[in-house]
Amino acid sequence: MGELYFMTLRSLKKSTLTGFVILAVPLVFGDPWNTRHLLENTSKEDVIKFIEALKTMNLSHFKKIIAKNYPTFEKALNYSNLYDLFLGLSKYDSLFREIVSNYPNVLTSMQFICECGINEACFREVQRILLANVIDELIVRKHGFEVMSRLREMARSNVHHIYIKEMELNPGSTADIIATSIYLLLRQLHDKV
C-alpha cells in the first residue's frame, strides 16, 4: 500500500488530487468496512513510503499545525503501520478521520448519488449536505474557521454555491469525499457487470 501511495502521489503534477488519492488507495485493496484490518497489516516500510511521497512534494495534508502531539514527518517514522499513523492524523484532519472511521461520509454520499443520479444537481446537493455537516480542512487551512463557519451556514440555507463563487473558495476536502464516493459507485457498478 505504501508503494502505491508513493507512486501515485509522486505522479501528480499538482496537489489537486492528493486528498482523493489518500482516501482511495486503501479502497484499491478492499472494502471500506475492512479498512482497519488492511491498514493494520501494513508495515513501517509502508509508513516510510507514504511519508516520503508527501514530504518530497511539500503537501499540506501533512502540514504541521500548532498541536503538541501532531505527528510531524519525523515523529511519523515512529509509527509501525499506516493505521496507527492515520489514527494519529485523524485527530487533526477529516480525510484521515474518514479512513479510520470506515468511510461514513463517502458511503452516505455514494448511496445518495446512487439514488439521485450522476448529474450536477445531485453533486451540488451532496456538496451542500457535506458542507453543512463536515469541516472542510482545505477551507480552514486557506481561509480560517470563520469562513468555514459562514460556509456551513450558507450550506444549511442552500446558498453555499453563491458564497463559494463570491469568496472564490475551493472546498477541496469535500470534493475529495465526493470523488471517492463516485469511485466506489463506479467500482460497484463495474463489479455487477
Side-chain angles (χ1 to χ4, degrees), residues 5-172:
Y5 268 126
F6 185 79
M7 291 186 321
T8 308
L9 290 169
R10 293 291 303 271
S11 71
L12 299 178
K13 294 190 181 358
K14 293 183 177 183
S15 63
T16 308
L17 295 174
T18 305
F20 169 72
V21 170
I22 289 171
L23 286 170
V25 164
L27 298 174
V28 171
F29 294 90
D31 295 314
W33 46 89
N34 196 26
T35 306
R36 180 176 182 157
H37 175 72
L38 293 168
L39 293 172
E40 284 180 334
N41 284 319
T42 60
S43 67
K44 189 171 188 83
E45 183 63 31
D46 292 304
V47 172
I48 292 168
K49 286 287 194 181
F50 176 74
I51 292 167
E52 285 303 312
L54 293 178
K55 189 175 182 181
T56 59
M57 298 175 71
N58 294 317
L59 294 171
S60 64
H61 287 83
F62 213 89
K63 184 178 183 180
K64 186 174 180 182
I65 60 171
I66 301 170
K68 184 179 179 184
N69 296 318
Y70 188 79
T72 62
F73 286 123
E74 294 72 28
K75 288 181 185 176
L77 293 173
N78 295 323
Y79 288 90
S80 59
N81 61 52
L82 288 172
Y83 180 78
D84 291 340
L85 174 62
F86 289 3
L87 187 62
L89 291 169
S90 71
K91 298 171 187 170
Y92 310 99
D93 191 299
S94 64
L95 293 182
F96 295 105
R97 201 163 33 259
E98 187 73 16
I99 294 169
V100 299
S101 301
N102 297 321
Y103 298 87
N105 293 301
V106 168
L107 290 170
T108 302
S109 298
M110 181 192 80
Q111 186 61 39
F112 185 87
I113 293 168
C114 185
E115 293 172 9
C116 178
I118 299 177
N119 59 68
E120 186 178 346
C122 183
F123 293 146
R124 182 178 287 170
E125 181 60 12
V126 171
Q127 181 188 52
R128 185 192 72 74
I129 292 167
L130 288 170
L131 289 172
N133 296 293
V134 179
I135 293 174
D136 190 297
E137 261 83 17
L138 188 59
I139 296 292
V140 174
R141 282 195 296 265
K142 290 188 173 188
H143 305 282
F145 279 107
E146 188 175 319
V147 171
M148 182 62 229
S149 178
R150 184 76 176 130
L151 179 56
R152 177 176 275 174
E153 291 173 25
M154 295 293 116
R156 289 178 177 159
S157 300
N158 201 17
V159 291
H160 61 290
H161 55 287
I162 297 168
Y163 188 66
I164 289 169
K165 188 174 182 177
E166 284 177 0
M167 296 291 293
E168 297 181 359
L169 301 175
N170 174 17

